[in-house]
Structure formats: C-alpha cells, structure tokens
C-alpha cells in the first residue's frame, strides 16, 4: 500500500524478508553449580550473592582461562568450549520471606551473533573471536531503577540517541513472557527491561519468563576492563549491532545469554520474584563471561559457521560432549558445600538482602559481587584475596598493533528524547504501527516495553531479495507457538507524484522519528529468541 505525498515529501515502505546474519546458539544442557562464586568481582573469596554457572567444571573463585581449559567436563554441549558463563538466578519470595529457586527450563543458550558495523570514522569492521582469557561483565548489580525516558525511540530498536554506554547497557536486558499457545503474546527479544508484576505473569505467561542479557561487542583490544570489567568494551548504537563509538574500533561476537525460567510452577502462589542478588526489579540483572575455547576453534567458527538459522550442528567445526547435564563443579569451597541455594529457606543465600530501590542497592546488604565492586561483603561473604588489576593486556589487531585506550568517564545519563519531526520536514516514512495493549505490567507509566533489537544490514547475498533500491535497516526475532521466526526490515525508496509534483527523500530523514508502513515475510527457526508478531 502506498500513499501519495506532495510538496517534496518522500514515500518509503518497510518490507520484512528472511534475515541472513550469521549466528549460532551454544546450548548448555545443565549448570555446573549454583553458588556464591565470582572470580571477576570477588577473586579468591566468596560473592555476596549467588550465581548459576555454566561451562567448565574447574570454575572457582580464582579461575583463569588456563584453569577452565583443564576442566574435567563442561555443562555446555560443545566439547571444545570450557568458557564460563554465569549470572544470578531467579527466586520466588513468598509473603513470609521464604525463598525458593525458580527452576530453569534447559537448555540455557549463549548466542554468538556475528553482526558487524562501522568504526566511528566510517571503516567497516570484521568480527574477531574472543581471545582466551578475555573477560567482561554486562549489567550493573546495584541498579534498581532506569534512566531511560519513555519507550525506546524506535520500534525497530535503533540507532539509539543515548549519550553514554550506561544507557545502552540498560537496554541490553530482557524479561519476556512465554506463551506458546498464543502467538499474539509473543514478545521481541530485550523488549522489557524489568521483571513484570507476578499477577501479570500468572495470567499471561503459562510457559515461564525468558531472561535475556546482551553483552557489548565493540572492543578496544584489551583483555579486561579494570575493577568493573567493563571499560574495554562498549555497546554499538543498535545494542547488539550497528556502529561502534570512538576508541572501540574492533568487533567481537555479540554474546547474549538466554535463560527460560519456570515461573509457571508458582502460578497462584502469593509472593514475588526476586533475582539472586536481591533485586526484585530486574534492572540489576547482570552476567559475567570468561572465554576459554580449545586453541583455534572459536576462530574457525567465526570464519566458517555462517548458518543463518543458528544451528550449531550445521557447522563441522564443533564436536559434542556426552552427558553435559551431569557435569558439576570440581572444587566447591568448603564454606559453600552445605549452603542451601535451592530452598525453601528464609532469605537469600549469603544473607543477601532484598532491595527494591529506586536508589542503588547499598554495599554490604547483598549488593556486593558482580558489577558493584571488587571485594565481597556481608556476614557470609568470607575473606577476599586482592586481585591485581594492573595495566590491561592489549591484543594486537590482525595486520597491525592496537594501542591501549582509556575511555573517558561516563557522563550522567541524559533523558532520551522521542520527538516527531516538524510538519514541514521534507520526509515521511510509512509503516504499520504495533498496538500496545494495557500498561507495562506494574512498571511506572513511562517505562513502556520497547520492541526487539534490530541488527545491522546482512551480507550482500540478500540483494536478490531486497533489490538494488533496498536498504536493510534491521532484523528481529519473534516466536509463534514453539517456532521462532526471523524478520528483516528492508526500506525501499519510491518516487510518487501528486498533482504533478515529484517526491524525493532527503538525506536528513530519520527513520526512527517517523511512521512507516510494513509488510512481513519470514521463515521459521528453532525456538530460541522470540519477538512480537507484527500486525
């Protein structure tokens, strides 16, 4: 459907066609443990809060990549990967304060997405494999509120006008409703940045909640990022894809954690859901990562595993392990061997206190651990061994050296503006609107659920689909029953006339500020990340 626009305006329509960005889902059939261990934030001691840990069995409070590579087993399905992936689990807190661990619905998935973009000076990027020993954190443990103003400014999730990396990090969290029987309830990946009210979950999410966490993929070449393990990486302007900020010219796989939890086992029970770090809001969800792959394997995978459905087994690089779900930690600290992490129990493990905010969680009350400081605290935190940070190691870029980069201090978050263009602007884009029904399930009115993250333009192989005039602006995923579909948004420019006046699009037209008209074409994929059905 087209609409004529006079006086020099433009008519552009969005077309959804199958996406071609390469990625794979690394599946972990089990966890090696749920324990208060965090070698990044609490090196040599105990964490102030509990984590569920996937990956190599040699994970300890002092783990390095070399330690992990010597693991006797791994809970993830690929035998050559002994990396560590960990994040706080979800608990159900009854009205009397009793805590029960919400079971996961395996497998946990770590998405390795090979999206590319441009450097700040306009040079194309090539995705590099994580070097062994590379480590990072995404999310902020102490956060209990949001600085985002209103819904995300574009239903296609980017590019965002955020003025600092902290705001982009807030958009990298998702708590999405799972309802396989009702496709209209399918939600976009990373579409809700907080935990919904339990009453709403009970009524609308019979198959649980999908917790998601995206990691930064723009890199300055250093192996670590200081005491917070963040300063060496940054988010691109589309969160998982798009272009990188100055000083972060190299590109890593966009890593995303996906954990489906069985909130449906608690339907009808009075209480609320709380993360293991004492966060009932979800804004403080976070995760940690240490890369430890057999030599050369991840490099091969980045080069060769270009399947567009995310199927690991379609790539001949990977080998698979037997019974990963039976793999457990080799060396659980003696102080934790008898600690109850599953419940029912009064309070969270380690005495971690529940703090609702909106002010940041306080140190010493369960806010210690990942993303909140370098030492553990609280009565049960134990002694902490000081870890020397020192000057970060820099990994040379292919074809040349990479100098160390120290990013500037982050400015205070600026409000996100969502302003429509003036009526006299020489641009108009037409798309189908997605109707939002109801409020945002217990969140303040300004915190509406945004749409799914978009990706950067896929390879030129899609030219046959998009046509020479097509401009791929984003991709998204959505669930339909137990099937996942991937959509590609392609923008075409057309010239229309009305009363003899030709219409042209001006270069200044910004798609995220104006309406569009959309059509959808899709193809099914294995269940993983879901998205809202466009209608």
């Amino acid at each position: 459907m087209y609409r004529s626009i006079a006086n020099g305006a433009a008519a552009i329509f969005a077309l959804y066609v199958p996406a071609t960005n390469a990625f794979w889902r690394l599946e972990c059939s089990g966890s090696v443990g749920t324990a208060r261990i965090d070698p990044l934030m609490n090196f040599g001691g105990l964490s102030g809060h509990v984590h569920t840990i996937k990956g190599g069995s040699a994970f300890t409070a002092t783990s390095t990549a070399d330690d992990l590579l010597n693991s006797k087993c791994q809970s993830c399905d690929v035998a050559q990967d002994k990396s560590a992936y960990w994040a706080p689990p979800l608990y159900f807190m009854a009205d009397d304060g009793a805590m029960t661990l919400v079971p996961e619905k395996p497998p946990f998935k770590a998405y390795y997405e090979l999206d590319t973009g441009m450097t700040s000076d306009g040079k194309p990027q090539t995705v590099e494999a994580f070097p062994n020993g590379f480590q990072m954190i995404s999310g902020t443990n102490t956060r209990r509120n949001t600085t985002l103003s209103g819904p995300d400014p574009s239903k296609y999730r980017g590019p965002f006008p955020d003025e600092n990396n902290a705001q982009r990090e807030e958009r990298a969290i998702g708590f999405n409703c799972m309802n396989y029987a009702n496709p209209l309830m399918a939600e976009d990946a990373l579409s809700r940045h907080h935990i919904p009210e339990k009453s709403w979950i009970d009524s609308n999410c019979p198959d649980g909640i999908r917790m998601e966490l995206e990691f930064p993929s723009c890199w300055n070449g250093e192996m670590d990022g200081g005491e917070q393990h963040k300063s060496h990486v940054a988010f691109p302007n589309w969160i998982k894809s798009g272009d990188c900020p100055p000083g972060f010219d190299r590109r890593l796989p966009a890593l995303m954690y996906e954990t489906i939890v069985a909130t449906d086992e608690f339907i009808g029970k009075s209480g609320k859901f709380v993360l293991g770090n004492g966060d009932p809001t979800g804004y403080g969800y976070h995760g940690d990562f240490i890369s430890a792959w057999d030599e050369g394997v991840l490099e091969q995978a980045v080069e060769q595993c270009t399947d567009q459905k995310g199927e690991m087994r379609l790539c001949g690089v990977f080998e698979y392990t037997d019974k990963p779900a039976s793999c457990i930690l080799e060396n659980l600290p003696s102080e934790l061997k008898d600690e109850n992490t599953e419940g029912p129990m009064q309070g969270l493990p380690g005495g971690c206190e529940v703090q609702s905010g909106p002010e940041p969680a306080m140190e010493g009350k369960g806010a210690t651990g990942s993303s909140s400081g370098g030492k553990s605290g609280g009565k049960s935190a134990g002694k902490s061994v000081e870890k020397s940070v020192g000057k970060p190691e820099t990994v040379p870029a292919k074809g040349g050296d990479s100098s160390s980069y120290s990013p500037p201090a982050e400015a205070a978050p600026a409000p996100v503006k969502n302003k429509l263009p003036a009526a006299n602007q020489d641009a108009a884009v037409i798309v189908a609107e997605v109707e939002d029904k109801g409020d945002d399930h217990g969140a303040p009115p300004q915190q509406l659920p945004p749409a799914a993250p978009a990706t950067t333009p896929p390879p030129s192989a899609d030219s046959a689909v998009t046509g020479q005039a097509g401009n791929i602006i984003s991709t998204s995923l959505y669930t339909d029953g137990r099937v996942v579909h991937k959509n590609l948004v392609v923008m075409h420019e057309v010239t229309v006339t009305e009363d003899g006046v030709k219409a042209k699009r001006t270069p200044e037209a910004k798609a995220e500020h104006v309406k569009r008209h959309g059509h959808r074409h899709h193809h099914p994929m294995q269940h993983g990340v879901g998205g809202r059905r466009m209608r």
Side-chain angles (χ1 to χ4, degrees), residues 152-161 237-239 452-454 473-474 511-512 516:
D152 286 351
S154 166
K155 289 184 181 296
Y156 299 98
R157 292 193 54 82
F160 293 109
N237 61 351
W238 290 71
I239 309 303
I473 61 170
S474 73
E512 69 271 23
R516 301 172 176 138

Side-chain angles (χ1 to χ4, degrees), residues 403-419:
S403 58
S404 176
Y405 171 78
S406 298
E410 291 182 341
V416 178
K417 296 181 180 179
N418 188 21
K419 184 178 179 182

Side-chain angles (χ1 to χ4, degrees), residues 340-388:
N340 184 2
T341 60
E342 295 186 2
M345 56 196 170
Q346 282 297 316
L348 291 166
C352 181
E353 295 186 20
V354 176
Q355 300 183 69
S356 300
E359 65 279 354
M362 295 176 62
E363 297 284 351
K365 291 188 176 182
T368 55
S370 294
S371 301
S372 66
K375 296 182 180 180
S376 59
K379 294 181 180 180
S380 303
K383 296 181 179 180
S384 178
V385 178
E386 192 71 38
K387 181 181 180 181
S388 175

Side-chain angles (χ1 to χ4, degrees), residues 223-288:
M223 294 289 283
D224 197 358
E227 291 186 354
Q228 298 300 315
H229 308 281
K230 292 181 178 182
S231 63
H232 59 323
V233 287
F235 286 95
N237 61 351
W238 290 71
I239 309 303
K240 85 176 185 68
S241 60
D243 300 334
C244 290
F248 299 88
D249 290 339
R250 298 170 68 177
R251 199 61 172 253
L252 297 167
L255 185 68
M256 189 182 85
Y257 292 177
E258 176 190 283
T259 308
I260 298 177
V261 288
T263 54
D264 48 295
E265 292 189 12
F266 300 87
I267 291 176
K269 296 182 179 181
S270 183
K272 61 183 177 182
F273 294 110
V274 179
L275 289 171
N277 61 334
D279 176 18
T281 70
Y283 295 122
Y285 189 45
H286 59 275
D288 307 54

Side-chain angles (χ1 to χ4, degrees), residues 101-181:
L101 183 69
V102 180
E104 293 184 8
K105 297 186 176 185
F108 162 89
K109 298 182 183 73
Y111 284 70
Y112 281 72
E113 301 164 305
L114 307 182
D115 296 285
T116 61
M118 307 291 282
T119 63
S120 59
D121 57 355
K123 297 177 182 177
Q125 295 173 307
T126 300
V127 177
E128 305 176 45
F130 295 115
N132 277 346
F134 175 88
Q135 51 195 33
M136 65 176 167
I137 289 175
S138 184
T140 299
N141 171 49
T142 56
R143 184 180 290 129
R144 295 294 185 270
N145 207 336
T146 181
T147 64
L148 304 178
S149 176
D152 286 351
S154 166
K155 289 184 181 296
Y156 299 98
R157 292 193 54 82
F160 293 109
D162 306 330
E163 295 185 7
N164 62 66
N165 194 59
Q167 283 189 309
R168 292 181 182 178
E169 184 181 69
E170 290 185 55
R171 302 186 196 275
I173 294 171
F175 295 91
N176 296 334
C177 179
M178 305 301 290
N179 187 339
Y180 298 126

Side-chain angles (χ1 to χ4, degrees), residues 263-313:
T263 54
D264 48 295
E265 292 189 12
F266 300 87
I267 291 176
K269 296 182 179 181
S270 183
K272 61 183 177 182
F273 294 110
V274 179
L275 289 171
N277 61 334
D279 176 18
T281 70
Y283 295 122
Y285 189 45
H286 59 275
D288 307 54
F289 170 67
I290 299 176
S291 181
W293 285 75
D294 286 355
E295 185 175 358
V297 173
L298 188 57
E299 288 79 2
Q300 282 184 280
V302 168
E303 293 289 335
Q304 300 177 27
C305 299
T306 57
D307 172 56
Q308 296 151 21
K309 297 179 181 179
E311 296 283 357
M312 288 190 309
R313 295 182 184 272

